[in-house]
Amino acid sequence: MRRRLRSPLPQRHGLDAARLRLPEVGAWATVLEHLVERLPRVDPARIEGMLREGRIVGVDGPVAVDAPYVPGSFVWFHRDLPEEVPVPFEVGVVHRDSDIVVVDKPHFLASIPRGRHVVETALVRLRRQLGIPELSPAHRLDRVTAGLLMFVVRPELRGRYQTLFRDRLVVKEYEAVAPVDPGLALPVVVRSRIVKERGVITAQEVPGVVNAVTRVELVASRGGLGRYRLVPETGRTHQLRVHMAGLGVPILGDDFYPVLREKALDDFSRPLQLLARVLEFVDPVSGVLRRFESGLGLGAWESPGEWGC
């Protein structure tokens, strides 16, 4: 296996530099010509400016603005960051050792950089907070879901921990607050087919082969609300939210299901009442059974008056 080239640029704001490999075939005379075509969302004047400032580098150093195109070569650069709304909640460390870090991610904080959320993500915050530049995610949580999230400390171990989640070898338990329907027989195992199309913000249940399975239990009820235990056997996008809405008891604070409602990125009120409560697995490195439990709670259940329930 060919070893990945190490970036000549250090991390910035906890982020790795972007790396581009120049195609073997092409009619570009210069690197600038190629980058202008390769990065259509970036103003050509901005690309030229980055070259003049020495912000785009190759294996031998900064790439000149008139540098000739070299097929198969690599360039690195840091992308301009989007303007982000600071998420005013801390990431709590639940466990840390030489192999993994397990944290309690707050509501509204994305797990990893993507789209409009880059610096304000759990991964970037933790790389800076813990001083672990090579920290990588073992799995992800939705931005609006709170609770346990696991990261891998050493790059050589990332695949082993990610495989646990891919192969469904991790027992995951969630807690949710939602209305109680006296006519709904619980516990129940929901089995359906969930599909999410690229570019569509919500997922849909459709006829076909089952690909999403969730066990739903009512743990306690009070004042028309229920505290639910959700145990997913699969990990489809928005699975728990789709299944709860499909049962007629949508999770409180859900702005996607059953009806999509627009919410401003700086509105941190009424978070989705869904919490990743438990992670349990046999450690692929030590062989020891590990179990982690979140220290967070759900406001609609613990402080219903403050939450408006």
Side-chain angles (χ1 to χ4, degrees), residues 2 36 50 96 121 128 162 172 189 200 203 219 237 241-242 263:
R2 181 177 297 177
V36 167
M50 291 174 68
R96 178 182 179 181
T121 60
R128 301 169 68 183
Q162 288 181 336
K172 296 184 284 186
V189 176
V200 179
V219 176
T237 299
R241 300 161 69 179
V242 169
K263 186 172 187 176

Side-chain angles (χ1 to χ4, degrees), residues 7 34 45 49 53-54 56 92 95 160 164 181 194 201 294:
S7 171
H34 173 68
E53 295 164 13
I56 300 177
H95 172 86
R160 299 174 72 174
L164 288 177
D181 179 358
I194 294 178
I201 196 169
S294 173

Side-chain angles (χ1 to χ4, degrees), residues 190-223:
V190 183
R191 304 174 185 274
S192 71
R193 181 170 185 80
I194 294 178
V195 174
K196 186 178 184 302
E197 298 180 6
R198 182 183 295 273
V200 179
I201 196 169
T202 56
Q204 305 292 330
E205 286 185 289
V206 299
V209 178
V210 170
N211 65 2
V213 180
T214 306
R215 179 177 175 83
V216 180
E217 304 173 7
L218 180 61
V219 176
S221 61
R222 183 182 64 208

Side-chain angles (χ1 to χ4, degrees), residues 171-174 213-217 229-234 239-240:
V171 175
K172 296 184 284 186
E173 296 180 13
Y174 289 75
V213 180
T214 306
R215 179 177 175 83
V216 180
E217 304 173 7
R229 178 174 176 262
L230 310 179
V231 183
E233 293 184 18
T234 54
Q239 175 177 318
L240 303 180

Side-chain angles (χ1 to χ4, degrees), residues 6-18 57 76-78 133:
R6 178 178 290 274
S7 171
L9 292 175
Q11 287 185 345
R12 186 178 61 141
H13 304 300
L15 292 165
D16 295 323
V57 305
W76 290 263
F77 59 94
H78 284 288

